[in-house]
Amino acid sequence: MAQHAESGRSSESAGVTRAQVVGIVASVVRWVGLLCTLVLVIHILLTVGSANPNNGITSFFASWADPLALGFRDLFTPSDPKAFVLVNYGIAALFWLIASSVLAKIIRRFA
């Protein structure tokens, strides 16, 4: 009998509630959005700051920022390449920040 009570207690302490799972999922969504925003912002800063495009760090952020820009990559076409990156990638960064925040709130409401 003591063995049965022991196993019941361990399953209760090891159990994860639905609210905890939803909270974790919402946090992951929020962190992914923040990470995408950070990559885009760093790419903008490196481009506007005239970083060497052949540098490994600059090319790393450029290669990750391009797919994260989604459809915003060529939304506006200013003639200045720095303004092009600032406007289009800046809008993409705002999109990731707002969309991940809203999605995380929606997920938390289902808890």
Side-chain angles (χ1 to χ4, degrees):
M1 176 126 174
Q3 200 174 24
H4 183 352
E6 181 77 25
S7 66
R9 214 177 306 130
S10 66
S11 66
E12 287 176 12
S13 63
V16 178
T17 66
R18 180 176 181 229
Q20 289 173 326
V21 171
V22 170
I24 291 169
V25 170
S27 294
V28 168
V29 166
R30 186 75 173 121
W31 279 105
V32 167
L34 288 172
L35 183 63
C36 293
T37 302
L38 182 65
V39 168
L40 288 165
V41 167
I42 291 172
H43 174 62
I44 292 167
L45 291 174
L46 290 171
T47 302
V48 172
S50 299
N52 178 6
N54 296 323
N55 181 283
I57 295 170
T58 306
S59 62
F60 170 80
F61 282 102
S63 67
W64 278 92
D66 281 341
L68 292 176
L70 304 173
F72 303 105
R73 185 179 16 235
D74 57 356
L75 186 63
F76 296 100
T77 55
S79 58
D80 181 23
K82 290 181 181 182
F84 179 86
V85 170
L86 180 65
V87 172
N88 294 319
Y89 287 74
I91 293 171
L94 285 174
F95 166 79
W96 279 104
L97 191 63
I98 293 168
S100 65
S101 178
V102 168
L103 186 57
K105 286 181 183 181
I106 290 170
I107 291 169
R108 282 195 173 100
R109 289 207 187 254
F110 287 112

